[in-house]
Amino acid sequence: MRKAQSEYIGFIIAIVIIALVIIPLFYILSNYSVPSAKKLDYAQVLKNQINGGGILIFFNSTFPETSSALNSNLIVLKGSTNYTLAGVYYMKNGVIYNITSNVKPFVFSNGIVTILNKNLPQPLIYNFTLPNYVWNYSVILQINGYNVTVFAQVYPNETAFTS
């Protein structure tokens, strides 16, 4: 009889432990997935990709001594088809000028530069020519990705960054 009572008391204690500890603990732990349900800030994700992440663009700038179309250009060191260069602007004396129509993608192939006859926007798998007159000015890049647009600034002979 005493064994049956002790088993019954043990069963009641187990039920109490389950009801008071394990079930609330399950609800607390199952609530940790809530942050993944929050809407992601894709603009911040894209900014982080430009600031040393998955996108690395270098503004190669040289003095325009010759009539070469490649005196100043954007070299895409790390790029992806997930990101698109949609616009290019430069800043001169505090005024921003749109030079998007003057920018063309180009590729290196067997040591030969081939300028593609395409207009922006283009995916960040190409390098891009820039007009010779922007060689000494900061350039602003309009980059699209994740259905958002971010503007990145790049100074001559430096890599792009966002602020």
Side-chain angles (χ1 to χ4, degrees):
M1 176 98 165
R2 288 191 183 257
K3 186 175 179 183
Q5 285 179 343
S6 64
E7 287 180 359
Y8 179 72
I9 292 173
F11 176 73
I12 295 296
I13 291 173
I15 295 294
V16 168
I17 289 174
I18 290 173
L20 295 178
V21 176
I22 295 178
I23 292 175
L25 187 62
F26 170 76
Y27 284 116
I28 290 171
L29 292 177
S30 66
N31 198 22
Y32 280 107
S33 64
V34 172
S36 65
K38 290 182 181 177
K39 191 171 185 179
L40 194 58
D41 182 8
Y42 287 110
Q44 188 61 43
V45 171
L46 186 52
K47 285 181 181 183
N48 291 341
Q49 288 296 311
I50 295 169
N51 293 334
I55 304 171
L56 191 59
I57 302 171
F58 180 74
F59 178 14
N60 184 24
S61 179
T62 57
F63 184 75
E65 297 172 354
T66 64
S67 62
S68 171
L70 294 179
N71 282 331
S72 295
N73 51 49
L74 297 172
I75 305 295
V76 180
L77 302 172
K78 284 172 60 178
S80 172
T81 57
N82 296 329
Y83 313 110
T84 304
L85 182 63
V88 179
Y89 312 89
Y90 82 100
M91 188 179 302
K92 179 180 178 183
N93 298 327
V95 179
I96 298 174
Y97 297 95
N98 186 349
I99 57 170
T100 303
S101 61
N102 298 335
V103 176
K104 298 288 183 198
F106 70 92
V107 293
F108 292 111
S109 178
N110 297 328
I112 299 171
V113 176
T114 306
I115 297 176
L116 305 173
N117 194 16
K118 297 180 179 180
N119 294 324
L120 296 184
Q122 290 296 323
L124 285 176
I125 55 172
Y126 301 112
N127 300 311
F128 299 93
T129 65
L130 291 174
N132 286 338
Y133 54 85
V134 301
W135 75 277
N136 201 23
Y137 298 104
S138 65
V139 176
I140 301 168
L141 309 175
Q142 179 182 349
I143 299 174
N144 296 341
Y146 310 114
N147 294 326
V148 296
T149 299
V150 171
F151 292 92
Q153 188 166 11
V154 59
Y155 292 103
N157 296 318
E158 292 186 13
T159 56
F161 66 94
T162 62
S163 55

